[in-house]
Amino acid sequence: MAGNYKMTYNVDMVFCIDCTGSMGDLIEIVKNNALNFYQDMKNAMEEKRKNINQLRVRVVAFRDYRADGADAMLTTDFFNLPQEAEEFERCVRSLRADGGGDDPEDGLEALAYAIKSKWNADGVKGRQVIVVWTDAATHPIGFGANSPYYPNGMPRDIQELASWWGGVQSSGFVDKNKKRLLLFAPDAPAWSQISQNWDNVIHFPSQSGEGLSELDYAQIIDVISNSV
Amino acid sequence: MKKKNLELNAIFAVAEEMKKNDGEDSYYYDSKEGHFFLASLDGCGGSGSKRYMNFSGKTGAYIASRAVCGGIKAWFRESGEENTFYHYIKKALSVCEGYADKTGRIMGSLAKAFPTTVAAISGKSNQGKIDAHCLWAGDSRCYMLDPNGLHQLTQDDLDGEDAMSNLTSDGVMTNVINATSEFEIHHKKITLDHPCILLTATDGCFGYLKTPMAFENLLIGSLMEASSPFEWRIALNERMSAVAGDDYTLCVAVCGFKDFEELRKAFMQRSTFVLENYMNSQYDPNLLWGNYKLEYSKYL
């Protein structure tokens, strides 16, 4: 009977976290926010009486292939929360702000990893959310391609990366209705280009070293919980 | 033979917010001199999540649904003309924009200033008929319910296929009232010459049910439990509250029935039919929808 039916959601989230030296002041805030994210999301959803059936989170920590070599990118599988909360916490706690070389970082390669996540593909209502936390502009895709640690299978350029995200005319690797990209990133190349031109993006422009105010964080929770 | 005048019998709203004092829906209903009006609005929480200090820290979505509702109220009282509806909405948005603090920017293709949906019906008695004028933007809906079934009158501004697929695909709206970009207010006029119920609803009313058939069952099932409009309103609220995962707002106008008993009797057979053929059926809901949508989509 309809009266017993309760709509539930499957939510997948990927946190792309800039772990370069310039994130020193910011990274503890980012880490704490990432760790609180599950409980804050759960609370926000419960307040709205929305039922999360399954919440999965994975981490993509990024730096700079040219400057940091083997430490340029850390990717995890999805953690099922709350069952794997301890593993997720251990992973986030292990992140350190270090390296990075020049000012821009390899955030686009991190985004590429995030977009190609093994998303939950069942037909149930849900969201596929990527959250990027950084205080730096990005290098062009392939800037670090000379590094022996640069991965195979990256997009050739930002246009190809955009096609991975998908648009009105072509579907990418993320479900066109479920996808959301939340950028906590400066209004700088290539984040501003993505913010303006890709579908389903919300961009909170950040300032280097200024951290996250309570309001900004509350807004991020609002955006996700209201979008689910 | 002279036709019975289709007078307005009852007009009311059923609304609940999930988070007390932070709900993003709004509504307005009114009547004057053979003219009635229903409007349900849903501030868009995702794209309008920016908080404004000048508005007591409320979100753009919260402010938009109320401000635009105020504009619509002014429109009904001062004008009521089709060609001025859009301008009253634009004026309400420009007041919000003018007062809003400019701090805490949010950018991006999904972010909008003061986004809200609206579904409204302006109804006029006209020589035994009701001239119903639907105005809408976004995924809130206008409906007509009669003993033949529930009929969606307005096309959702979503890129989904139909009301069934929109329940699970949950896509981004392709058109919504906002202060950032251009938007369209859709219009549709229909003339009704039989007793019926007109409704405006935000997606919290129908978007958390398994099928569109379940929404009709909710509407007429609760009607069967009631013996007055007041009791029907309570029964509607109880049923929606049990399933909704979002704020919900339903405005209802009942037209052309002699009294509540006649209204109830008119839907008795349909209530049994929906229960037996759609709610308690063992067939795949998608197959049932294929059959149901012929009547449901008749006015789309």
Side-chain angles (χ1 to χ4, degrees):
Chain A
M1 286 287 293
N4 298 329
Y5 179 73
K6 197 88 181 168
M7 184 80 78
T8 56
Y9 303 83
N10 291 336
V11 180
D12 283 350
M13 290 187 198
V14 184
F15 294 133
C16 296
I17 304 175
D18 178 345
C19 287
T20 59
S22 63
M23 286 285 282
D25 293 340
L26 200 56
I27 202 153
E28 288 307 313
I29 300 168
V30 171
K31 280 162 65 175
N32 286 334
N33 283 330
L35 291 173
N36 293 335
F37 215 87
Y38 169 69
Q39 195 56 47
D40 292 335
M41 266 292 291
K42 190 165 171 280
N43 293 344
M45 298 291 285
E46 279 174 0
E47 274 187 339
K48 295 171 194 297
R49 284 198 255 155
K50 288 183 177 175
N51 300 325
I52 297 183
N53 181 50
Q54 185 183 47
L55 178 61
R56 304 190 312 158
V57 181
R58 75 178 286 228
V59 175
V60 177
F62 66 94
R63 294 189 178 93
D64 181 330
Y65 280 102
R66 280 196 185 179
D68 302 301
D71 296 326
M73 195 74 63
L74 162 83
T75 65
T76 71
D77 291 333
F78 276 110
F79 297 99
N80 275 301
L81 297 180
Q83 298 89 332
E84 296 175 304
E86 279 184 26
E87 291 90 330
F88 173 61
E89 180 165 353
R90 243 194 324 273
C91 168
V92 176
R93 289 266 176 236
S94 72
L95 301 176
R96 297 279 176 271
D98 191 21
D102 58 356
D103 194 30
E105 313 300 353
D106 288 340
L108 294 180
E109 278 79 359
L111 192 51
Y113 271 112
I115 291 172
K116 275 205 164 177
S117 295
K118 289 176 185 159
W119 303 105
N120 194 331
D122 62 27
V124 179
K125 206 166 185 170
R127 284 283 176 253
Q128 297 171 347
V129 185
I130 298 173
V131 187
V132 177
W133 317 74
T134 181
D135 67 346
T138 72
H139 288 131
I141 289 248
F143 180 80
N146 290 336
S147 162
Y149 298 98
Y150 193 83
N152 292 324
M154 282 286 131
R156 285 183 307 276
D157 49 33
I158 194 163
Q159 284 75 25
E160 188 178 356
L161 183 63
S163 74
W164 286 17
W165 179 248
V168 177
Q169 294 179 340
S170 60
S171 55
F173 292 107
V174 197
D175 185 292
K176 72 182 174 70
N177 289 322
K178 294 178 180 174
K179 69 184 178 187
R180 298 288 184 270
L181 173 57
L182 306 183
L183 298 177
F184 187 78
D187 187 8
W191 302 121
S192 44
Q193 186 182 345
I194 290 169
S195 167
Q196 288 163 23
N197 299 317
W198 290 21
D199 289 339
N200 299 4
V201 180
I202 298 187
H203 182 188
F204 304 81
S206 63
Q207 300 277 331
S208 178
E210 285 195 7
L212 286 168
S213 71
E214 289 270 322
L215 184 61
D216 289 330
Y217 181 60
Q219 282 180 354
I220 292 168
I221 296 291
D222 273 350
V223 171
I224 298 180
S225 62
N226 281 323
S227 296
V228 170
Chain B
M1 198 175 95
K2 194 181 170 188
K3 280 199 121 183
K4 189 170 68 171
N5 204 16
L6 295 181
E7 286 176 1
L8 177 68
N9 303 128
I11 187 164
F12 61 86
V14 183
E16 189 170 299
E17 48 189 12
M18 294 294 110
K19 193 175 172 185
K20 247 353 185 202
N21 302 320
D22 257 339
E24 286 161 348
D25 280 10
S26 187
Y27 67 89
Y28 172 61
Y29 64 86
D30 203 350
S31 66
K32 61 176 184 189
E33 300 152 10
H35 186 183
F36 66 87
F37 186 76
L38 308 171
S40 300
L41 301 93
D42 179 3
C44 308
S47 56
S49 62
K50 176 175 160 49
R51 291 184 180 273
Y52 294 89
M53 291 303 104
N54 287 1
F55 288 97
S56 308
K58 295 294 187 186
T59 63
Y62 174 100
I63 299 158
S65 68
R66 285 158 179 81
V68 172
C69 192
I72 288 173
K73 186 174 176 180
W75 170 82
F76 182 73
R77 292 189 172 174
E78 295 168 9
S79 166
E81 297 298 324
E82 180 184 331
N83 59 356
T84 60
F85 190 78
Y86 181 82
H87 301 294
Y88 274 83
I89 289 174
K90 287 290 271 188
K91 192 176 169 188
L93 292 172
S94 71
V95 170
C96 294
E97 281 266 277
Y99 194 61
D101 44 297
K102 310 297 181 212
T103 56
R105 287 187 306 154
I106 298 186
M107 303 157 65
S109 57
L110 197 61
K112 293 192 186 309
F114 305 110
T116 183
T117 70
V118 66
I121 301 176
S122 170
K124 281 182 183 163
S125 293
N126 180 16
Q127 297 180 332
K129 297 177 182 176
I130 296 278
D131 289 331
H133 180 194
C134 303
L135 307 110
W136 80 99
D139 64 355
S140 296
R141 293 178 182 166
C142 300
Y143 289 101
M144 189 270 285
L145 177 65
D146 67 14
N148 290 321
L150 182 66
H151 306 90
Q152 187 178 328
L153 303 178
T154 52
Q155 196 82 52
D156 299 337
D157 281 324
L158 292 167
D159 56 7
E161 190 186 330
D162 58 29
M164 185 72 167
S165 70
N166 285 343
L167 287 173
T168 48
S169 67
D170 200 20
V172 172
M173 274 182 272
T174 52
N175 175 52
V176 69
I177 293 170
N178 74 96
T180 306
S181 55
E182 281 304 309
F183 61 89
E184 185 181 353
I185 301 291
H186 307 291
H187 295 259
K188 178 185 252 179
K189 288 178 175 171
I190 54 170
T191 299
L192 304 161
D193 60 0
H194 59 282
C196 62
I197 301 163
L198 289 162
L199 310 112
T200 60
T202 60
D203 69 341
C205 300
F206 52 82
Y208 295 88
L209 294 163
K210 202 170 187 176
T211 65
M213 297 81 94
F215 186 48
E216 182 182 343
N217 183 59
L218 184 154
L219 294 171
I220 55 179
S222 56
L223 175 63
M224 291 304 110
E225 293 169 6
S227 58
S228 68
F230 179 73
E231 284 186 15
W232 186 25
R233 187 168 161 264
I234 290 171
L236 275 168
N237 194 39
E238 279 174 359
R239 287 193 178 215
M240 282 197 283
S241 180
V243 291
D246 194 0
D247 304 329
Y248 57 82
T249 301
L250 180 73
C251 291
V252 182
V254 182
C255 304
F257 294 91
K258 195 174 73 187
D259 54 28
F260 195 81
E261 193 48 29
E262 187 183 86
L263 167 69
R264 233 175 59 84
K265 276 184 182 162
F267 285 92
M268 211 172 267
Q269 202 179 341
R270 177 69 187 173
S271 171
T272 309
F273 181 82
V274 170
L275 215 48
E276 287 177 357
N277 291 281
Y278 296 117
M279 303 309 295
N280 295 337
S281 170
Q282 300 305 308
Y283 286 106
D284 178 344
N286 287 302
L287 282 176
L288 296 172
W289 165 243
N291 177 268
Y292 180 85
K293 78 186 233 185
L294 298 173
E295 184 68 27
Y296 176 88
S297 309
K298 197 164 81 176
Y299 293 91
L300 285 178

